[in-house]
């Protein structure tokens, strides 16, 4: 939990870049984010500036002595040059196809990036599905 301390009681502004399924083009959406940490829970409140119906609040519990971020297994937790890199993985579906999904959280006290990489089980093809890039307010 102490590794997440730079995110506690923080407010962020940034952009979500995602790969659109229909056009196969990258799309940007302005976003804001607030994060609080309470006990062993990370409470996030995300707002999409031009798509408020997509806003969401989530509560993720750090489980099993810090080895799981919610249902995602933590496979890497590194600190390099004051920048924290935490990578999680889980099996799921992407574009209705079975996939192994990796989420990488990269942060300092001023920047926060969350990137979703998808590796399709049938083909082994991979892509970056979306990336959030934030700056602290």
């Amino acid at each position: 939990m102490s590794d997440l301390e730079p995110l506690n009681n923080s407010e962020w502004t940034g952009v979500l870049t995602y790969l659109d399924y229909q056009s196969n083009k990258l799309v940007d959406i302005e976003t804001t984010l607030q994060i609080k940490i309470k006990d062993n829970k990370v409470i996030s409140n995300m707002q999409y500036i031009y798509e408020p119906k997509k806003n969401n609040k989530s509560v993720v519990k750090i489980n099993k002595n810090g080895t799981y971020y919610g249902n995602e297994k933590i496979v890497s937790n590194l600190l390099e040059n004051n920048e924290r890199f935490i990578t999680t993985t889980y099996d799921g579906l992407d574009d209705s196809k079975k996939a192994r999904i990796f989420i990488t959280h990269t942060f300092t006290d001023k920047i926060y990036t969350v990137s979703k990489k998808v590796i399709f089980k049938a083909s082994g093809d991979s892509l970056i599905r979306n990336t959030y890039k934030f700056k602290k307010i």
Side-chain angles (χ1 to χ4, degrees):
M1 292 305 299
S2 63
D3 294 341
L4 300 174
E5 189 55 37
L7 301 176
N8 192 20
N9 293 318
S10 61
E11 295 186 36
W12 307 84
T13 184
V15 65
L16 161 63
T17 302
Y18 71 92
L19 183 60
D20 180 61
Y21 292 113
Q22 280 75 36
S23 68
N24 207 30
K25 293 183 179 179
L26 294 175
V27 176
D28 290 339
I29 298 176
E30 290 182 49
T31 60
T32 57
L33 171 67
Q34 302 81 41
I35 301 174
K36 292 184 182 189
I37 298 172
K38 186 174 182 183
D39 302 320
N40 63 336
K41 296 176 187 157
V42 179
I43 303 161
S44 301
N45 191 0
M46 179 86 64
Q47 299 84 39
Y48 298 95
I49 305 303
Y50 299 109
E51 295 188 45
K53 291 181 182 177
K54 302 282 184 179
N55 292 354
N56 93 20
K57 185 175 183 179
S58 68
V59 178
V60 177
K61 196 174 187 180
I62 306 299
N63 294 318
K64 300 183 182 179
N65 296 321
T67 60
Y68 276 80
Y69 185 83
N71 294 324
E72 302 169 16
K73 181 171 178 51
I74 298 172
V75 293
S76 177
N77 182 355
L78 303 170
L79 181 63
E80 295 177 2
N81 299 321
N82 293 320
E83 194 167 22
R84 175 72 56 189
F85 299 87
I86 299 174
T87 302
T88 65
T89 189
Y90 64 97
D91 290 327
L93 294 176
D94 187 271
D95 198 17
S96 300
K97 300 173 194 165
K98 291 182 180 180
R100 169 66 53 117
I101 299 168
F102 292 87
I103 308 291
T104 301
H105 301 259
T106 305
F107 56 91
T108 67
D109 60 344
K110 295 181 180 153
I111 61 104
Y112 180 40
T113 302
V114 181
S115 182
K116 179 180 180 181
K117 179 180 180 179
V118 176
I119 301 175
F120 294 102
K121 292 198 174 196
S123 66
D125 293 342
S126 68
L127 57 88
I128 302 297
R129 177 58 67 204
N130 60 49
T131 304
Y132 290 89
K133 291 184 180 179
F134 294 103
K135 291 181 182 177
K136 195 174 223 178
I137 298 175

